[in-house]
Amino acid sequence: MLQGKKILLGISASIAAYKACTLIRLLKKQGAEVQVIISPAAADFVTPLTLATLSERPCLQSFVRDAEGSWNNHVDLGLWADAFIIAPATANTISACAKGSCSNLLQAVYLSARCPVFLAPAMDLDMWAHPAVKTNISTLRSYGNYILEPGTGHLASGLSGEGRLMEPEEILEYLSAFFSLGGTAVSGHKTQPDLAIALGKDIDLHSGAVLADAAVNYSYLPLTGQQVLITAGPTQEAIDPVRYIGNHSSGKMGYALAAHARSLGADVVLISGPTDLPDPEGILVHRVTSAAQMLEAVKKYPEYNLAVLAAAVADYRPAEAATQKIKKKDNELILTLVKTADIAATLGKSKTSSQVLVGFALETENELDNALGKLERKNFDLIVLNSMRDAGAGFRTDTNKVTLLGRNNIRHEIQLKPKNQVAAEILDFICSFILLKPADSPLSDSAQS
């Protein structure tokens, strides 16, 4: 799968830099073209001559190539590659990439790369565990980078623990799997190992295509064995056999969430109002029309582990639906409306301590206050706030911009992105708390704010 692939290999200043020599040989043996870029200090650990000999290309380490002013064009390098691997990635390089620093050629190429980027951290256990490093890693994930989690074992400091560079053979395995599935993986995950989640093709919002079961070892995935319930799309409340009350929801956000939950190993049930979207692969889909029908479908799955209520359920329905088409006779038609079934409140009342309930709020004014009020009233663990005032967000778009709100002042903003990437980041955030012990989770009522 690596035959003919163009691979940038960035090497930063770690004692583990010697392992990059093995990685180069493995990549070359698979038929890949390898261009090595090193940070200035990395030359203290492995020589440019060795790297150039193994890669059969000059080892690049500075912007200026010679006395005549020829330069190594970081933009061209970023466009040339099919993938960029930084291995080892030190705490310093990770920090620079996360913050957008550009003090050397390796960092400049990172900022210019349009290809998937993989970072394989290597550092001492206390450095890897430090909150500053964890924050930088989280930032890099949010950019769509893939973190190849370090292993556990003997470290250069003499201590033993987590922080060892992932072995070259394992890096090669992940990279090969990535390209075998198309090489356009979905971003935004933080489980271990990250790439086991992100190895598949990007989710097509129109086809609903997701990872094939045979392509992923689901034992790595955070939602393996979890029952996930997702609602999507609008509801339509009949006025007569021809007309209805509804809204402009396309269902794209809910379908992207369902497909991503499936790719994370979950058993997914999608309860969908009327949409033009096909059933996502590997997901049990219930098609409904009205809010009452959606509630009845939801009630069939009381044992869920995670429920995400992304459907835009109509708030009101006609008190009585006419059995025949209402004819146009008078200048006005008066309808008596009553509230529809409150699906969110129903689930919120019955939710157990082992279940996670996530709601959506689409607002046009007082967005934050209205969303937080809904979070409390419906007994949600997390609410996803949409604002109709944000360009490119809301109904019938392929992009979205949301804010995640939880208890104890939890707030996480997701900037405007394709809905499949927003879905990835929402589930990434949810999984980070599902995988924690309840008492440790900042979403827990018992946690410290």
Side-chain angles (χ1 to χ4, degrees), residues 161-177:
E162 192 174 14
R164 285 175 60 90
L165 177 69
M166 180 180 283
E167 293 301 321
E169 292 80 6
E170 195 172 1
I171 295 174
L172 184 77
E173 179 184 351
Y174 281 126
L175 195 63
S176 297

Side-chain angles (χ1 to χ4, degrees), residues 322-356:
T323 57
Q324 302 295 328
K325 179 182 176 182
I326 300 173
K327 297 297 184 181
K328 186 176 180 181
K329 297 178 182 178
D330 303 321
N331 290 332
E332 61 182 26
L333 174 66
I334 298 176
L335 295 174
T336 300
L337 302 179
V338 296
K339 286 185 177 181
T340 57
D342 195 329
I343 298 169
T346 300
L347 290 185
K349 288 178 181 178
S350 62
K351 180 173 74 74
T352 68
S353 60
S354 63
Q355 293 178 313
V356 175

Side-chain angles (χ1 to χ4, degrees), residues 353-367:
S353 60
S354 63
Q355 293 178 313
V356 175
L357 183 60
V358 179
F360 272 66
L362 179 64
E363 303 293 342
T364 59
E365 60 180 354
N366 299 323
E367 291 97 336

Side-chain angles (χ1 to χ4, degrees), residues 9 11 16-26 46-47 50-51 54 168:
L9 175 59
I11 302 172
Y18 76 92
K19 292 185 178 181
C21 297
T22 301
L23 180 57
I24 295 169
R25 296 190 66 173
L26 291 171
V46 60
T47 69
T50 299
L51 298 170
L54 292 172

Side-chain angles (χ1 to χ4, degrees), residues 1-44:
M1 288 302 154
L2 295 177
Q3 182 68 42
K5 297 298 183 184
K6 299 178 176 67
I7 308 298
L8 285 174
L9 175 59
I11 302 172
S12 55
S14 164
I15 189 63
Y18 76 92
K19 292 185 178 181
C21 297
T22 301
L23 180 57
I24 295 169
R25 296 190 66 173
L26 291 171
L27 290 167
K28 294 289 291 182
K29 189 174 181 179
Q30 292 293 319
E33 298 180 49
V34 182
Q35 175 61 66
V36 179
I37 306 165
I38 63 173
S39 68
D44 293 335

Side-chain angles (χ1 to χ4, degrees), residues 53-126:
T53 301
L54 292 172
S55 66
E56 300 178 316
R57 286 173 171 267
C59 173
L60 308 181
Q61 54 184 314
S62 62
F63 291 98
V64 179
R65 189 181 304 162
D66 54 36
E68 283 70 40
S70 298
W71 68 301
N72 295 311
N73 191 322
H74 59 281
V75 176
D76 285 348
L77 288 166
L79 293 173
W80 171 83
D82 295 309
F84 186 17
I85 308 168
I86 302 178
T90 60
N92 185 61
T93 294
I94 287 169
S95 176
C97 292
K99 294 175 173 59
S101 298
C102 190
S103 61
N104 60 46
L105 180 62
L106 191 157
Q107 294 166 13
V109 174
Y110 166 79
L111 293 175
S112 302
R114 295 188 183 181
C115 59
V117 177
F118 305 81
L119 294 98
M123 62 194 75
D124 200 57
L125 74 165
D126 294 317

